[in-house]
Amino acid sequence: MRHPIILTLCAAAIGLSACEQSGEAEVERALQDINVVDETNLNDVMLTVGDPDEAVRYFANANANDPGRIDLQRGLAKSLVRAKRASDAVAAWQVVVANEESTNSDRVDLADAFIRANAWDDAAATLNTIPPTHETFKRYRLEAMVADSRQQWDKADSFYETAVGLTTRPATVYNNWGFSKLTRGEYGEAERMFTDALRFNSNMFTAKNNLVLARGAQRNYTIPVVPMTQVERAQLMHTMALAAIKQNDVTIGKSLLNDAITTHPRYFEEAVRALEALENNAVN
């Protein structure tokens, strides 16, 4: 009579053990899911707000511990770009592109890294491997920059125009396009491009400075009416002064330098040095 009871107890014990093992497996899977979420969040933080050099170390270690994962390879490549290590970024993006899971966007990022490393021919060759159906803002912006480097102005204009149409924040494109026009000596067009850049981003000081250069090249020495701080106004007067002096409008240049010095809320060393150099040349 005891045998059924013993068998029942044994079955119950086996069932309990199986339940415990099943429960442990579920817990392990759940913890793995949590770890993946935590890691993803940490990766995002490292790619955006983390210190660039610290991000490089983090992704380098992650790649060493888990080689072959394309998300970690991308993280390292992007971190190297943020850390301004262009040559290392090129090598890292080449690893990403060699991965069988790579995309056309990865090839665009490799071309970007080549441009940062001043390897324009390699950038062009990389962009040529991307099918024309991959139409993105970044791709066309890089195509425009490559065309600029080769003085292929019509192609550059076409690519810049396409890039502008593919983004809601085209300020940087207009600024690059304007600088291209400035390089060609098309100063009126350059001025228009820089004005458009500031229309989309009134805080972009580079566009303000370029706008002053474009106006100065046309012998228009008035500071443009754009939002600016007192420090920026002094800096723009300094830029305008140098543009005037370059065109032998020395009296106007000296006046602008004096205005820059008095406008700046602190000691404006660059403007003071430039003014002293002018006065010393006049004495000599």
Side-chain angles (χ1 to χ4, degrees):
M1 294 294 293
R2 292 180 181 175
H3 293 287
I5 295 172
I6 293 171
L7 289 173
T8 302
L9 289 172
C10 286
I14 292 169
L16 181 59
S17 175
C19 286
E20 287 175 350
Q21 291 175 358
S22 175
E24 289 173 0
E26 289 296 327
V27 169
E28 183 63 28
R29 277 195 295 272
L31 287 174
Q32 287 176 350
D33 291 340
I34 291 171
N35 288 338
V36 169
V37 172
D38 287 346
E39 181 189 1
T40 301
N41 290 338
L42 182 56
N43 291 351
D44 291 342
V45 168
M46 284 295 182
L47 284 173
T48 52
V49 298
D51 176 75
D53 293 323
E54 184 180 344
V56 169
R57 289 191 293 271
Y58 167 79
F59 282 108
N61 290 334
N63 273 283
N65 293 331
D66 197 357
R69 273 182 51 181
I70 196 166
D71 60 326
L72 298 178
Q73 292 171 348
R74 285 192 188 109
L76 178 58
K78 290 177 180 178
S79 298
L80 287 165
V81 169
R82 284 185 64 221
K84 295 182 171 35
R85 292 168 55 179
S87 298
D88 293 334
V90 165
W93 277 117
Q94 286 174 324
V95 171
V96 173
V97 167
N99 192 307
E100 61 183 11
E101 298 178 47
S102 65
T103 65
N104 286 321
S105 293
D106 294 323
R107 278 171 270 283
V108 171
D109 284 326
L110 172 58
D112 176 79
F114 274 128
I115 288 174
R116 292 171 190 273
N118 205 32
W120 293 92
D121 289 341
D122 290 324
T126 301
L127 289 169
N128 286 338
T129 66
I130 303 169
T133 51
H134 184 75
E135 298 182 302
T136 65
F137 162 69
K138 187 170 185 178
R139 189 258 176 90
Y140 283 109
R141 182 169 177 245
L142 297 182
E143 293 275 17
M145 293 170 69
V146 168
D148 261 346
S149 73
R150 296 177 168 184
Q151 298 186 356
Q152 298 170 333
W153 307 130
D154 289 341
K155 287 181 68 174
D157 287 340
S158 177
F159 286 134
Y160 278 127
E161 187 173 5
T162 302
V164 164
L166 291 173
T167 180
T168 57
R169 295 185 292 179
T172 55
V173 181
Y174 277 123
N175 185 59
N176 287 358
W177 199 353
F179 194 79
S180 173
K181 295 286 189 180
L182 197 62
T183 302
R184 308 175 208 177
E186 299 176 16
Y187 304 126
E189 280 293 297
E191 182 178 353
R192 185 173 67 82
M193 294 299 176
F194 297 133
T195 301
D196 284 340
L198 291 169
R199 184 162 52 86
F200 285 96
N201 183 358
S202 61
N203 295 321
M204 184 184 285
F205 180 74
T206 304
K208 296 175 190 178
N209 203 59
N210 287 337
L211 175 58
V212 164
L213 287 172
R215 290 165 71 95
Q218 300 171 83
R219 283 193 156 86
N220 178 357
Y221 299 125
T222 57
I223 299 298
V225 181
V226 295
M228 66 184 76
T229 65
Q230 189 175 351
V231 171
E232 286 179 334
R233 186 173 185 82
Q235 290 171 329
L236 294 177
M237 286 176 173
H238 178 246
T239 297
M240 188 72 86
L242 298 182
I245 293 164
K246 184 178 180 181
Q247 297 184 115
N248 209 33
D249 293 330
V250 179
T251 302
I252 294 173
K254 287 176 69 173
S255 177
L256 284 165
L257 286 173
N258 275 309
D259 288 344
I261 292 166
T262 57
T263 298
H264 203 291
R266 296 180 295 278
Y267 181 70
F268 195 173
E269 184 178 353
E270 293 89 344
V272 170
R273 282 207 312 266
L275 185 58
E276 287 175 348
L278 273 181
E279 290 174 342
N280 287 336
N281 285 336
V283 171
N284 293 333

